[in-house]
Coordinates of all heavy atoms in Angstrom, one line a residue:
E1594 N -115.7 45.7 164.4 CA -117.0 45.2 164.0 C -117.9 46.2 163.3 O -117.9 47.4 163.7 CB -117.8 44.7 165.3 CG -117.3 43.4 165.9 CD -117.6 42.2 165.0 OE1 -118.6 42.3 164.2 OE2 -116.9 41.1 165.1
I1595 N -118.6 45.8 162.3 CA -119.5 46.7 161.5 C -120.5 47.3 162.5 O -120.9 48.5 162.3 CB -120.2 45.9 160.4 CG1 -119.2 45.4 159.4 CG2 -121.3 46.7 159.8 CD1 -119.8 44.5 158.3
L1596 N -121.0 46.6 163.5 CA -122.0 47.1 164.4 C -121.5 48.3 165.1 O -122.3 49.2 165.5 CB -122.4 46.0 165.4 CG -123.6 46.4 166.3 CD1 -124.8 46.7 165.5 CD2 -123.9 45.2 167.3
A1597 N -120.2 48.5 165.3 CA -119.7 49.7 165.9 C -120.1 50.9 165.1 O -120.6 51.9 165.7 CB -118.2 49.6 166.0
S1598 N -119.9 50.9 163.8 CA -120.3 52.0 163.0 C -121.8 52.3 163.0 O -122.2 53.4 163.1 CB -119.8 51.8 161.5 OG -118.4 51.9 161.5
V1599 N -122.5 51.2 163.0 CA -124.0 51.3 163.0 C -124.5 52.0 164.3 O -125.3 53.0 164.3 CB -124.7 50.0 162.8 CG1 -126.2 50.1 163.0 CG2 -124.3 49.4 161.4
L1600 N -124.0 51.5 165.4 CA -124.5 52.0 166.7 C -124.0 53.5 167.0 O -124.7 54.3 167.4 CB -124.1 51.1 167.8 CG -124.8 49.7 167.8 CD1 -124.3 48.9 169.0 CD2 -126.3 49.8 167.9
N1601 N -122.7 53.7 166.6 CA -122.1 55.0 166.8 C -122.8 56.0 166.0 O -123.1 57.2 166.4 CB -120.6 55.0 166.5 CG -119.8 54.2 167.5 OD1 -120.3 53.8 168.6 ND2 -118.6 53.9 167.2
T1602 N -123.1 55.7 164.7 CA -123.8 56.6 163.8 C -125.2 56.9 164.3 O -125.7 58.0 164.2 CB -123.8 56.0 162.4 OG1 -122.5 55.8 161.9 CG2 -124.5 56.9 161.4
T1603 N -125.9 55.8 164.7 CA -127.2 56.0 165.2 C -127.3 57.0 166.4 O -128.1 57.9 166.4 CB -127.8 54.7 165.7 OG1 -127.9 53.7 164.7 CG2 -129.2 54.8 166.3
H1604 N -126.3 56.9 167.3 CA -126.3 57.8 168.4 C -125.9 59.2 168.0 O -126.6 60.2 168.3 CB -125.2 57.4 169.5 CG -124.9 58.5 170.5 ND1 -125.8 58.7 171.5 CD2 -123.9 59.4 170.5 CE1 -125.3 59.8 172.2 NE2 -124.2 60.2 171.6
N1605 N -124.9 59.4 167.1 CA -124.5 60.7 166.7 C -125.6 61.5 166.0 O -125.8 62.7 166.2 CB -123.2 60.7 165.9 CG -121.9 60.6 166.8 OD1 -122.0 60.6 168.0 ND2 -120.8 60.5 166.1
L1606 N -126.2 60.8 165.0 CA -127.3 61.4 164.3 C -128.5 61.8 165.2 O -129.1 62.8 165.0 CB -127.7 60.6 163.1 CG -126.8 60.6 161.9 CD1 -127.3 59.6 160.8 CD2 -126.6 62.0 161.3
Y1607 N -128.8 60.9 166.1 CA -129.9 61.1 167.0 C -129.5 62.4 167.8 O -130.4 63.3 168.0 CB -130.0 60.0 168.0 CG -131.1 60.1 169.0 CD1 -132.4 59.6 168.8 CD2 -130.9 60.8 170.2 CE1 -133.4 59.7 169.7 CE2 -131.9 61.0 171.1 CZ -133.2 60.5 170.9 OH -134.2 60.6 171.8
Y1608 N -128.2 62.5 168.3 CA -127.8 63.7 169.0 C -128.0 65.0 168.2 O -128.6 65.9 168.7 CB -126.4 63.6 169.5 CG -125.9 64.8 170.1 CD1 -126.3 65.2 171.5 CD2 -125.2 65.8 169.4 CE1 -125.9 66.4 172.0 CE2 -124.8 67.0 170.0 CZ -125.1 67.3 171.3 OH -124.8 68.5 171.8
Y1609 N -127.5 64.9 167.0 CA -127.7 66.1 166.1 C -129.1 66.5 165.9 O -129.5 67.7 166.0 CB -126.9 65.9 164.8 CG -125.5 66.4 164.8 CD1 -124.5 65.8 165.6 CD2 -125.1 67.4 163.9 CE1 -123.2 66.3 165.6 CE2 -123.8 67.9 163.9 CZ -122.9 67.3 164.7 OH -121.6 67.8 164.7
L1610 N -129.9 65.5 165.5 CA -131.3 65.8 165.2 C -132.1 66.2 166.4 O -133.0 67.1 166.2 CB -131.9 64.5 164.6 CG -131.4 64.1 163.2 CD1 -131.8 62.7 162.8 CD2 -131.8 65.1 162.1
H1611 N -131.8 65.7 167.5 CA -132.5 66.1 168.7 C -132.0 67.5 169.3 O -132.7 68.2 170.0 CB -132.5 65.0 169.8 CG -133.5 64.0 169.4 ND1 -134.8 63.9 170.1 CD2 -133.6 63.0 168.5 CE1 -135.5 62.9 169.5 NE2 -134.8 62.4 168.6
L1612 N -130.7 67.8 169.0 CA -130.2 69.1 169.3 C -131.1 70.2 168.6 O -131.5 71.2 169.1 CB -128.8 69.2 168.9 CG -128.1 70.6 169.0 CD1 -128.1 71.1 170.5 CD2 -126.7 70.6 168.5
M1613 N -131.4 69.9 167.3 CA -132.2 70.8 166.5 C -133.6 70.8 167.0 O -134.3 71.9 167.1 CB -132.2 70.4 165.0 CG -130.9 70.1 164.4 SD -129.7 71.5 164.7 CE -130.3 72.8 163.7
Q1614 N -134.1 69.6 167.4 CA -135.5 69.6 168.0 C -135.6 70.4 169.3 O -136.6 71.1 169.5 CB -135.8 68.1 168.3 CG -137.2 67.9 168.7 CD -137.5 66.4 169.0 OE1 -137.3 65.9 170.1 NE2 -137.9 65.7 167.9
D1615 N -134.5 70.3 170.1 CA -134.5 71.1 171.3 C -134.5 72.6 171.1 O -135.1 73.4 171.8 CB -133.3 70.7 172.2 CG -133.5 69.3 172.8 OD1 -134.6 68.7 172.8 OD2 -132.5 68.7 173.3
M1616 N -133.7 73.0 170.0 CA -133.7 74.4 169.7 C -135.1 74.9 169.1 O -135.5 76.0 169.5 CB -132.6 74.7 168.6 CG -131.2 74.7 169.3 SD -129.9 75.4 168.2 CE -129.4 74.0 167.2
R1617 N -135.7 74.0 168.4 CA -137.1 74.4 167.9 C -138.0 74.5 169.0 O -138.8 75.5 169.1 CB -137.6 73.3 166.9 CG -136.8 73.2 165.6 CD -137.6 72.4 164.5 NE -137.8 71.0 164.9 CZ -137.0 70.0 164.6 NH1 -135.8 70.3 163.9 NH2 -137.3 68.8 164.9

Side-chain angles (χ1 to χ4, degrees):
E1594 283 290 338
I1595 293 172
L1596 187 58
S1598 291
V1599 173
L1600 295 180
N1601 291 348
T1602 301
T1603 300
H1604 167 80
N1605 275 359
L1606 283 178
Y1607 181 98
Y1608 172 79
Y1609 265 65
L1610 293 167
H1611 282 258
L1612 174 64
M1613 310 311 289
Q1614 186 180 91
D1615 290 345
M1616 284 195 273
R1617 293 195 297 268

